[in-house]
Amino acid sequence: MSSYLIIMRNGSSYSGGRYNALIFALSLVSKGHKVTILTNRKPIFLSDFKDYKELRKIRFNLNLNNFDFPCEHYDSVIVFPDLNPFSSIYEKAVLISNRNNSSLILHSFETPNWFNSSSSIKKSSFFWSGWLFLSNFSSAIITMTRTGIKFSKTFYPKKIIHHYAYPPINEKLATFPPTVHKEKNIFIISRFGKHQRHKGGEKLIHLFSKNFENYTFTFFGNIPSMILDRFKENAKKWNITINHLSGVSDQVKFEYLAKCESQIFLTSFEGYGYPPIEGLYVGTPSIVFPLEVFKETIKDSALYINNIDEIEEKYTGFIESFDPINERNKIMARISIDNYGKNLSRILADAKKIKKLSTFCICYIWLRYCVMYLANKLNDFRK
C-alpha cells in the first residue's frame, strides 16, 4: 500500500473543502493506505467522524505554519487549497514533494472560469493564483465531478492529467431511515455576507408566502441577527415557525434533515454540493437552481427552478411523486466511501510521475516561500 501526505489549512468555521479533505483521508485509510495530514489545526468537525475506526490511523502534523518540512517517504503530496492568495502552503508543498521525491497532486474544488460563469457574483482570478502556481509542478489534478474537469482543462496547464471522483458524505451518521410521512418542515441552507451572496441568502425572504402557511422553516448555519429578526417578522404573516440550527453536530443535522419534507438550497454556484446528496441519503428531496453539477450528481432527483416563484406551481406535485426509499438507494449505489476509496486508489496509482526541478527553480521557490512565510508571520504578529 502507499503513503500519502495531505496538506491543507483549516479555519475556525465549517468548510466543505476541509470536510472533503477529511473524507478523502478516511477513504484512503479504509483501503489500507497510510495518510498524514499536515495542517495548522485539526478541523472543528473532527468529532463528527469519531465512529470511523480509520480516523485513529490518520496522523496529524500541526506544523504547517512553522518552518518545518517533513522528511519521510510519501508516494504523493496532495494539496487541498483555499482562496488565500498569500498563503505559503503552495511553495511548501512543492518543496516537500521535491525533497521527498514524491509526486504532487492538486485537489481542485473549483476554478475562476467555472465560478464566474455560474455565480451571481464574480471574483478575481487572483484568488486562485496559488492553485495555478501549484499546478505547474503537479502530476495530476483531481476534481469532484466531470463538470469540474471541463473547466479545469481550460484553466490549468494543458499537459496536466485530470481525474474526478465523487466524494461521499458522513455515511455513519446519515443512517436515519427515510420515511414517506414527513413533517411540514423545510430544511434551508444558505450563507450570508458580502462574499457569500452567491449562496442565495438574500432570496430566502421570498419563501415566506401562502405556499408554506403553517410550515416550519429550519434554517441551518450562521444567520446575522438582523436578518433572522426579519425572517421572524415575515413568518408571522403566514404562521410559519422559525427553527434555527447553528453550530450543531452532523448527528443533529441529519436527524432534522430526515424529518423534513424538503430541503431548499438556492446557491448559484457549487463545486460539488453536499446538501442535496445528504438529503437523498435520508430521503429528503431538494429544491435547487439547475446547476450543471447538480444535474450530474443528483440527476433528476431534485426540483429544479429558475426563480422562487416556480415553487408554488411545482412543489406539491414534486413532493407527491418523490420516492424517498428508491432515491436513497440510487444515490448510495453511486456515491459511497467504499467507491471513493477505490477510485482514489486507482487515480493516485496512475499519478506517480515526478516532475524534476532545476536548481534555479528550487531556489526561486525557496525565495517565494521565505517571503510568504515572513509576511504571514509579520501579519500574525500585528494581530
Side-chain angles (χ1 to χ4, degrees):
M1 291 295 150
S2 300
S3 178
Y4 299 111
L5 176 68
I6 292 175
I7 300 179
M8 67 171 176
R9 193 167 59 94
N10 281 307
S12 58
S13 59
Y14 172 84
S15 160
R18 311 311 104 183
Y19 194 85
N20 175 214
L22 184 58
I23 292 178
F24 189 104
L26 289 170
S27 300
L28 286 176
V29 172
S30 73
K31 297 305 174 187
H33 302 293
K34 180 182 177 182
V35 176
T36 300
I37 298 179
L38 176 61
T39 186
N40 58 317
R41 62 194 294 177
K42 291 183 179 181
I44 61 168
F45 46 79
L46 193 64
S47 60
D48 286 330
F49 293 86
K50 65 181 184 299
D51 293 336
Y52 291 81
K53 64 181 185 300
E54 293 86 359
L55 185 61
R56 297 188 293 273
K57 298 179 181 179
I58 297 174
R59 178 188 168 202
F60 284 90
N61 180 338
L62 304 182
N63 291 312
L64 178 62
N65 291 342
N66 299 330
F67 205 87
D68 178 75
F69 292 80
C71 188
E72 300 179 29
H73 169 71
Y74 303 109
D75 292 278
S76 297
V77 174
I78 305 154
V79 180
F80 282 75
D82 55 59
L83 292 180
N84 177 6
F86 303 106
S87 174
S88 61
I89 68 169
Y90 309 109
E91 290 79 8
K92 190 166 193 172
V94 176
L95 294 170
I96 291 174
S97 65
N98 181 73
R99 180 179 183 178
N100 295 289
N101 205 32
S102 311
S103 64
L104 185 61
I105 312 293
L106 171 62
H107 192 287
S108 180
F109 310 108
E110 60 191 42
T111 51
N113 56 338
W114 185 12
F115 182 90
N116 290 327
S117 71
S118 173
S119 173
S120 57
I121 65 169
K122 310 304 176 187
K123 289 184 180 180
S124 168
S125 59
F126 177 65
F127 290 106
W128 288 268
S129 57
W131 307 32
L132 190 57
F133 167 81
L134 189 72
S135 69
N136 289 298
F137 308 95
S138 298
S139 301
I141 290 175
I142 300 176
T143 63
M144 295 181 281
T145 61
R146 290 192 302 272
T147 304
I149 285 184
K150 182 176 73 172
F151 289 93
S152 287
K153 284 184 174 180
T154 59
F155 178 68
Y156 294 114
K158 295 190 180 302
K159 292 184 179 180
I160 202 163
I161 299 172
H162 296 262
H163 300 276
Y164 78 93
Y166 296 138
I169 66 168
N170 191 345
E171 293 177 354
K172 288 188 181 294
L173 294 186
T175 56
F176 297 93
T179 173
V180 175
H181 303 291
K182 299 275 193 174
E183 297 178 1
K184 294 182 69 174
N185 196 334
I186 311 296
F187 199 82
I188 303 171
I189 296 181
S190 188
R191 292 185 186 178
F192 301 84
K194 179 181 178 181
H195 300 294
Q196 301 290 341
R197 292 200 303 272
H198 62 289
K199 294 295 185 179
E202 76 283 354
K203 295 180 174 66
L204 299 180
I205 195 68
H206 301 293
L207 290 174
F208 296 88
S209 64
K210 187 174 179 59
N211 192 54
F212 292 118
E213 189 172 9
N214 299 318
Y215 268 74
T216 295
F217 284 177
T218 296
F219 289 93
F220 180 76
N222 296 325
I223 304 177
S225 58
M226 185 181 300
I227 293 176
L228 186 60
D229 289 342
R230 188 182 176 198
F231 284 168
K232 290 179 179 178
E233 188 63 31
N234 278 267
K236 293 177 183 177
K237 301 176 185 177
W238 306 105
N239 196 32
I240 294 172
T241 302
I242 299 293
N243 185 25
H244 182 211
L245 302 177
S246 180
V248 301
S249 66
D250 265 7
Q251 177 82 22
V252 173
K253 177 185 71 177
F254 283 119
E255 184 176 352
Y256 274 91
L257 182 57
K259 297 175 183 177
C260 288
E261 184 177 85
S262 67
Q263 174 178 229
I264 292 178
F265 187 49
L266 299 180
T267 178
S268 62
F269 174 79
E270 283 295 311
Y272 184 58
Y274 276 110
I277 295 171
E278 291 177 333
L280 292 178
Y281 254 80
V282 294
T284 300
S286 294
I287 301 170
V288 296
F289 290 139
L291 305 187
E292 187 175 355
V293 70
F294 289 155
K295 292 186 175 182
E296 177 185 345
T297 57
I298 57 176
K299 302 183 184 299
D300 59 354
S301 300
L303 172 59
Y304 293 106
I305 61 169
N306 292 301
N307 58 71
I308 287 182
D309 294 340
E310 294 179 32
I311 295 178
E312 183 173 357
E313 175 188 348
K314 300 177 180 179
Y315 185 79
T316 301
F318 172 70
I319 294 300
E320 289 177 350
S321 64
F322 184 81
D323 183 342
I325 297 175
N326 181 52
E327 295 296 343
R328 182 175 194 252
N329 291 338
K330 285 197 299 185
I331 198 71
M332 290 179 68
R334 292 190 298 111
I335 300 177
S336 67
I337 281 187
D338 182 58
N339 287 341
Y340 195 45
K342 290 177 181 177
N343 289 334
L344 291 180
S345 296
R346 172 185 52 79
I347 290 169
L348 294 174
D350 292 339
K352 291 186 177 180
K353 181 180 179 181
I354 300 170
K355 290 193 174 183
K356 298 294 183 181
L357 306 182
S358 68
T359 302
F360 175 81
C361 185
I362 294 170
C363 290
Y364 168 69
I365 295 170
W366 264 112
L367 179 60
R368 279 182 58 116
Y369 173 75
C370 290
V371 170
M372 291 285 197
Y373 176 81
L374 292 173
N376 283 312
K377 286 296 182 183
L378 180 60
N379 187 53
D380 292 341
F381 177 76
R382 286 175 174 171
K383 290 180 180 179

